[in-house]
Amino acid sequence: MEPIYQYAWLIPVLPLLAAMLVGLGLISYNKTTNNLRQATAAFLVSSVGAAMVLSFALLWSQIQGHETYTYSLEWAAAGNFHLTMGYTIDHLSALMLAIVTTVALLVMIYTDGYMAHDPGYVRFYTYLSLFSSSMLGLVISPNLVQVYIFWELVGMCSYLLIGFWFDRKPAADACQKAFVTNRVGDFGLLLGMLGLYWATDSFDFQIMGDRLQDLVQSGAIGGGVAALLAVLVFLGPVAKSAQFPLHVWLPDAMEGPTPISALIHAATMVAAGVFLIARMYPVFEHIPSAMTVIAWTGCFTAFLGATIALTQTDIKKGLAYSTMSQLGYMVMAMGIGAYSAGLFHLMTHAYFKAMLFLGSGSVIHGMEEVVGHDPTLAQDMRLMGGLRKFMPITAATFAVGTLAICGIPPFAGFWSKDEILGAAFEANPALWGVGWLTAGMTAFYMFRMYFMTFEGPFRGNDTEIRHELKTEAEAGEPILAFGPGAMDPRELEASHDDHSHGHHSEYPHESPLSMTFPLMALAVPSALLGLVGTPFANYFEAFIHPPSESLAEIAEHAEEFNLTEFLVMGGSSVGIALLGITLASLMYLSRKIDPKAIASQIKPLYLLSRKKWYFDEIYNSLFVLGSRRLARQVMEVDYRVVDGAVNLTGLITVISGEGLKYFENGRAQFYALIVFVAVLGLVILSGVT
């Protein structure tokens, strides 16, 4: 198996090379490259497919017990400073490679149907391939500097993809918002990275952790300084994984086409933050105050995302806040020391959330045939309903994803989320209480989404609802902030010969096989993958465990399995989920409870959720308007002080020059007179004094 490790560098390089070749084609021979749509797509998809084959070979090798493989070369040296680059393949990186390549491949297959009529089809595929390469490079990086390089590449690709339809102002604003918000977190990460190097003289994860622990224990560095450095590093994952308070960019990222929403929310950008926490675990685990900050940040983010998702009417926006909430669970798990539980949920979530997002794209694709390209209609669940009859595959796979994320056994989400809640109960019952309540809200809003979309009568042709939504949108209500979904506005002009896209129909129909196949493929791990991490036979924890924990300790934990405790904890999480499902069915399926009446009775709470806890308004007032006010003040200082000083200097120069020019007449007698007067004045002055 050694040759596989020697060529592991090809995993990120293959999609990168493919993206470079197609990108050069777009720059040099744009028309020809765009005309070869299917060929270029097949080339880019094949590169990711080859990377996936290599990734699964490495994962299998690691499962069989192959030791960690690291290749490094000296990149730069100056005195005692040595910077190495290379790649490392261990259990964590092998798992992440398999997740990223699998989801990326299925998303790229799905893209062929979803973006089939978009003029930027080839460019979108190129961006996807570059995005996948950046994430793959990140997960095999052996040190923090290399992680940071790929970390920024991931951010750049997300900027390009969120703003893919850059000629629309909402998309342009959304990608800038994501970019700026992530710069805040990345600046903290950079400061923390440099601080850790100052303290430990290393960028290697394990060495940093060991040396920092020794320095704190010896008193060479205070515990507060170590905690500050750890929290600064944590700011990077706070932004990338959309944790409070840097979460505001994630819903706006829905401005990009749905395939990239699936890739961002499942296996790339947001997963990068959780992955970095796992990589930096040797540093974090020895600093209790930093671990507490991480745990409570994740806990509050999970609760915050769930409360906002309760009232969303846009299908993609609801899923976006769901992602934010689930990421909170993962970060909370890392903070309480449940390393394997957090990564287990990262793995299961990657598959069922990718499926849910791709399912929402399939729904939007169908709805646009009925309501047109109006973004206030195609993504609004109030105009859906009854789609199960028209889109059975999409509905069935969406139901599987919904059951998985709600934590209903035996679906994957139950095992991973239950493990996090069990660890939270042991660490801090308050964390468990918030997580348990969030699990109930998750079940409610996800089944609310499913019932509104796939059950009941189809409302897409209801002119009254359309008019009501239009009126609300014109009145400034936060109905939708994004669109179009599957199609570019110019698509109708480019596809008059295609009946399914060129004309409106009365009812939607199922998406093509290129879109439904990835849904069916993702449904399998969404339903069954959790069985590798059951508490009574936890193969996942035996494979993925903290660097500081030995296999003997893992085996000891496995022997401590308590069936009664599992039934109580698992039963409580399933119970709260069933309560949420029941409430959702009474409101949105049988209609025995009127949600509008409840909203009117608790209007302040409803508006708090509907307006996303007013974070956008607060940030706009504090940072956007505040920055403008500060800029105006700086401009005043520049105008009155800086420019004034420069202008005064120039005025003095002009006046002195004008005055002195009369003394420069070229007559020696006049100069002698001036010297005589000056000497006489000095003599008189000295005599007076």
Side-chain angles (χ1 to χ4, degrees):
M1 298 297 288
E2 198 69 23
I4 298 178
Y5 288 86
Q6 293 174 357
Y7 291 101
W9 57 272
L10 286 171
I11 294 175
V13 168
L14 286 173
L16 174 63
L17 186 61
M20 286 176 59
L21 291 174
V22 176
L24 288 172
L26 286 172
I27 294 171
S28 305
Y29 306 100
N30 185 274
K31 188 174 181 180
T32 303
T33 306
N34 277 303
N35 287 336
L36 298 172
R37 293 159 66 93
Q38 297 295 325
T40 54
F43 174 57
L44 291 166
V45 172
S46 299
S47 68
V48 175
M52 186 187 75
V53 172
L54 280 172
S55 298
F56 273 95
L58 290 170
L59 178 62
W60 178 251
S61 174
Q62 287 292 305
I63 292 173
Q64 296 302 308
H66 194 287
E67 62 183 11
T68 298
Y69 181 91
T70 301
Y71 173 82
S72 62
L73 55 88
E74 189 169 82
W75 185 262
N80 293 327
F81 174 78
H82 295 275
L83 178 61
T84 60
M85 294 290 177
Y87 61 90
T88 185
I89 305 296
D90 58 4
H91 291 186
L92 176 58
S93 60
L95 175 70
M96 289 298 298
L97 287 173
I99 294 172
V100 174
T101 53
T102 306
V103 174
L105 179 67
L106 292 172
V107 167
M108 292 179 82
I109 293 172
Y110 178 95
T111 298
D112 179 62
Y114 193 86
M115 301 290 288
H117 299 276
D118 195 287
Y121 176 93
V122 176
R123 178 167 60 92
F124 187 73
Y125 261 108
T126 307
Y127 288 169
L128 282 179
S129 186
L130 183 61
F131 197 17
S132 303
S133 172
S134 302
M135 186 63 190
L136 293 169
L138 189 151
V139 301
I140 64 173
S141 296
N143 58 63
L144 195 52
V145 172
Q146 194 169 326
V147 164
Y148 189 79
I149 293 170
F150 285 104
W151 185 271
E152 294 301 328
L153 281 173
V154 167
M156 181 201 72
C157 292
S158 68
Y159 173 83
L160 295 173
L161 285 159
I162 294 169
F164 180 74
W165 286 314
F166 56 84
D167 52 349
R168 291 171 33 244
K169 188 178 186 302
D173 290 344
C175 66
Q176 290 181 54
K177 185 176 182 180
F179 188 80
V180 171
T181 306
N182 275 275
R183 293 289 67 71
V184 176
D186 292 356
F187 181 63
L189 172 59
L190 180 61
L191 290 178
M193 182 174 76
L194 296 176
L196 285 172
Y197 181 78
W198 161 78
T200 64
D201 200 31
S202 176
F203 288 115
D204 182 88
F205 306 107
Q206 190 64 51
I207 294 175
M208 280 192 295
D210 294 341
R211 289 183 181 175
L212 192 64
Q213 183 184 14
D214 294 341
L215 290 168
V216 172
Q217 289 177 348
S218 65
I221 288 181
V225 175
L228 175 62
L229 296 176
V231 171
L232 283 172
V233 170
F234 176 58
L235 280 178
V238 165
K240 275 286 191 293
S241 291
Q243 300 296 288
F244 168 82
L246 300 178
H247 64 279
V248 291
W249 68 270
L250 191 64
D252 295 74
M254 299 302 94
E255 281 290 349
T258 300
I260 192 53
S261 301
L263 198 55
I264 285 177
H265 286 251
T268 53
M269 188 158 174
V270 297
V274 180
F275 170 80
L276 182 59
I277 298 175
R279 269 287 184 239
M280 293 293 294
Y281 201 75
V283 173
F284 292 134
E285 68 175 332
H286 300 302
I287 308 174
S289 55
M291 293 288 278
T292 301
V293 170
I294 294 171
W296 278 105
T297 299
C299 180
F300 181 72
T301 302
F303 178 78
L304 175 65
T307 57
I308 298 175
L310 293 173
T311 59
Q312 301 306 310
T313 55
D314 175 83
I315 189 169
K316 285 178 68 178
K317 200 170 188 180
L319 289 173
Y321 282 110
S322 169
T323 299
M324 173 182 157
S325 183
Q326 297 305 307
L327 289 167
Y329 275 112
M330 301 173 208
V331 173
M332 179 176 72
M334 292 294 177
I336 59 179
Y339 178 90
S340 61
L343 290 172
F344 187 30
H345 197 53
L346 171 64
M347 178 179 71
T348 60
H349 177 266
Y351 290 111
F352 63 67
K353 184 51 65 69
M355 182 176 62
L356 287 169
F357 263 108
L358 296 182
S360 73
S362 180
V363 168
I364 295 166
H365 186 271
M367 285 298 296
E368 284 184 333
E369 297 179 356
V370 179
V371 302
H373 299 287
D374 191 334
T376 61
L377 303 178
Q379 296 174 205
D380 198 302
M381 293 184 290
R382 289 173 291 183
L383 268 178
M384 297 176 187
L387 295 186
R388 181 168 54 86
K389 298 190 290 282
F390 311 110
M391 310 177 74
I393 298 176
T394 301
T397 54
F398 201 94
V400 170
T402 301
L403 290 167
I405 196 173
C406 292
I408 304 300
F411 295 92
F414 165 74
W415 305 104
S416 55
K417 188 186 292 185
D418 186 68
E419 191 174 347
I420 293 174
L421 291 176
F425 187 80
E426 292 181 8
N428 188 331
L431 289 170
W432 172 85
V434 177
W436 179 76
L437 183 61
T438 301
M441 289 190 287
T442 301
F444 173 80
Y445 68 68
M446 285 305 303
F447 268 89
R448 170 183 177 267
M449 187 182 299
Y450 177 80
F451 292 144
M452 289 182 71
T453 304
F454 296 102
E455 301 298 335
F458 180 63
R459 300 178 294 275
N461 298 313
D462 192 321
T463 54
E464 289 187 15
I465 298 179
R466 288 197 189 193
H467 178 71
E468 181 183 346
L469 297 183
K470 277 289 189 182
T471 303
E472 289 182 3
E474 290 170 0
E477 288 293 318
I479 303 301
L480 293 173
F482 21 75
M487 311 174 197
D488 187 275
R490 295 164 289 183
E491 179 183 329
L492 286 176
E493 302 171 10
S495 58
H496 285 302
D497 57 332
D498 189 327
H499 175 77
S500 64
H501 292 286
H503 300 83
H504 287 260
S505 58
E506 188 177 358
Y507 297 103
H509 62 75
E510 188 59 271
S511 299
L513 181 62
S514 60
M515 294 173 65
T516 55
F517 171 74
L519 294 176
M520 293 183 286
L522 287 166
V524 176
S526 299
L528 303 176
L529 193 59
L531 298 177
V532 303
T534 59
F536 40 83
N538 200 332
Y539 303 107
F540 184 86
E541 186 174 11
F543 180 67
I544 295 289
H545 52 84
S548 59
E549 218 170 279
S550 65
L551 288 174
E553 292 173 311
I554 297 294
E556 185 180 343
H557 294 162
E559 292 175 0
E560 295 174 356
F561 170 67
N562 188 315
L563 180 60
T564 304
E565 181 182 339
F566 166 69
L567 292 175
V568 171
M569 296 301 299
S572 65
S573 63
V574 173
I576 190 71
L578 292 175
L579 182 62
I581 295 170
T582 303
L583 188 58
S585 65
L586 291 173
M587 286 186 179
Y588 299 99
L589 185 61
S590 63
R591 305 284 177 176
K592 292 182 179 179
I593 299 177
D594 184 8
K596 290 185 178 180
I598 296 177
S600 63
Q601 291 177 359
I602 53 170
K603 194 167 184 178
L605 291 176
Y606 171 78
L607 289 176
L608 182 68
S609 171
R610 182 68 174 164
K611 293 183 179 293
K612 302 166 286 186
W613 286 44
Y614 300 96
F615 275 109
D616 282 336
E617 289 81 359
I618 293 171
Y619 286 6
N620 182 68
S621 177
L622 285 178
F623 301 114
V624 179
L625 298 181
S627 297
R628 290 175 182 172
R629 286 192 291 268
L630 178 61
R632 282 194 293 269
Q633 295 300 319
V634 171
M635 186 176 66
E636 286 293 318
V637 172
D638 178 70
Y639 177 73
R640 298 184 183 280
V641 179
V642 179
D643 286 356
V646 172
N647 294 336
L648 179 61
T649 304
L651 180 62
I652 293 172
T653 304
V654 170
I655 294 173
S656 59
E658 285 291 331
L660 290 174
K661 74 179 183 180
Y662 295 106
F663 294 95
E664 300 294 332
N665 53 20
R667 296 169 60 187
Q669 300 92 329
F670 181 72
Y671 297 154
L673 178 62
I674 292 174
V675 172
F676 174 75
V677 171
V679 172
L680 181 62
L682 290 173
V683 170
I684 294 172
L685 183 61
S686 60
V688 172
T689 56

